[in-house]
Amino acid sequence: EAGVVQSPRYKIIEKKQPVAFWCNPISGHNTLYWYLQNLGQGPELLIRYENEEAVDDSQLPKDRFSAERLKGVDSTLKIQPAELGDSAVYLCASSSPSQPGELFFGEGSRLTVL
Amino acid sequence: GNSVTQMEGPVTLSEEAFLTINCTYTATGYPSLFWYVQYPGEGLQLLLKATKADDKGSNKGFEATYRKETTSFHLEKGSVQVSDSAVYFCALNRGSNYQLIWGAGTKLIIKP
């Protein structure tokens, strides 16, 4: 069974440029999460989807961040424009509603904003 | 509110030493408890879990027991290896309608 796939693994951009991250969850997992992880810290939830509906986006900075999950499968997280403080690892995870709390993570997308 | 507190790291041990990483929690109701591990350069992965009081989760030689009376879920391993070097996160979940609550993580360094 394929795991959670994220791309790109690494991205370096200049500040004020846009950037997008893509995630393909485990097949059959209805719940999809985007987390932000700064160096040496735990993950911070940005947004959680149940199928195609964003059920928790209270921590998403909506002035510059946006996300979508078309057809309830793949998801894209976008930042526009990026700021220096956005440099971090963006993690995608998915889970099955029958096993809440049991998240399967991708390898993450490391963003560096110069 | 709900929260998870882990012992601060880094924790540095010699190979074959006994490991304990403390985790305590505050939560309403009856949460499930988890340990996740993040090896260098990799994503997070579930190490073990326990869903009710007195349950013991175990995997790869690691164990943790859900202690409701002390609100704890300490991670233990009898003999650590260099390959166990990683960051360990304790977390709790109150159910499918709630997000996972994470501890700050404890970095473990095992020296040969």
Side-chain angles (χ1 to χ4, degrees):
Chain A
E1 178 183 274
V4 176
V5 179
Q6 289 188 247
S7 68
R9 286 293 312 276
Y10 304 93
K11 188 74 176 179
I12 301 174
I13 60 172
E14 299 281 336
K15 64 180 180 182
K16 300 186 181 180
Q17 294 300 305
V19 63
F21 305 110
W22 174 81
C23 173
N24 181 245
I26 290 174
S27 177
H29 280 191
N30 299 339
T31 310
L32 184 146
Y33 312 76
W34 282 104
Y35 283 92
L36 177 154
Q37 187 176 27
N38 287 304
L39 189 64
Q41 297 184 24
E44 302 169 31
L45 182 68
L46 290 172
I47 190 168
R48 175 168 66 100
Y49 283 93
E50 295 290 345
N51 299 303
E52 65 274 8
E53 181 183 359
V55 296
D56 185 354
D57 63 356
S58 57
Q59 303 303 311
L60 188 72
K62 298 181 184 64
D63 56 336
R64 297 184 300 106
F65 286 65
S66 64
E68 60 182 12
R69 190 182 184 195
L70 300 175
K71 300 181 181 178
V73 182
D74 295 4
S75 178
T76 302
L77 177 70
K78 297 179 181 178
I79 309 174
Q80 183 171 11
E83 297 180 352
L84 294 176
D86 296 332
S87 295
V89 177
Y90 292 83
L91 299 170
C92 180
S94 67
S95 69
S96 166
S98 63
Q99 295 178 308
E102 211 167 314
L103 274 58
F104 293 80
F105 284 84
E107 292 185 305
S109 295
R110 181 178 296 277
L111 173 66
T112 302
V113 182
L114 302 176
Chain B
N2 303 303
S3 65
V4 175
T5 303
Q6 291 181 235
M7 64 189 294
E8 281 193 33
V11 173
T12 304
L13 296 171
S14 297
E15 207 165 18
E16 299 184 2
F18 184 87
L19 168 71
T20 300
I21 299 178
N22 289 339
C23 171
T24 57
Y25 68 91
T26 302
T28 55
Y30 304 94
S32 295
L33 301 173
F34 304 84
W35 277 101
Y36 281 81
V37 60
Q38 188 169 32
Y39 297 103
E42 298 185 14
L44 284 147
Q45 55 184 279
L46 179 66
L47 179 60
L48 53 83
K49 70 174 184 179
T51 57
K52 62 183 186 295
D54 300 324
D55 266 3
K56 178 185 284 188
S58 61
N59 186 25
K60 299 182 180 180
F62 289 89
E63 294 182 339
T65 301
Y66 188 161
R67 302 284 189 199
K68 189 167 175 60
E69 63 276 14
T70 55
T71 62
S72 65
F73 193 54
H74 304 321
L75 183 68
E76 297 181 336
K77 187 174 184 181
S79 176
V80 293
Q81 305 300 312
V82 172
S83 57
D84 294 326
S85 298
V87 181
Y88 292 81
F89 292 92
C90 186
L92 73 82
N93 180 259
R94 291 175 53 207
S96 58
N97 293 326
Y98 301 92
Q99 65 166 295
L100 207 55
I101 306 298
W102 295 87
T106 302
K107 184 173 184 177
L108 175 65
I109 301 169
I110 306 300
K111 295 187 174 181

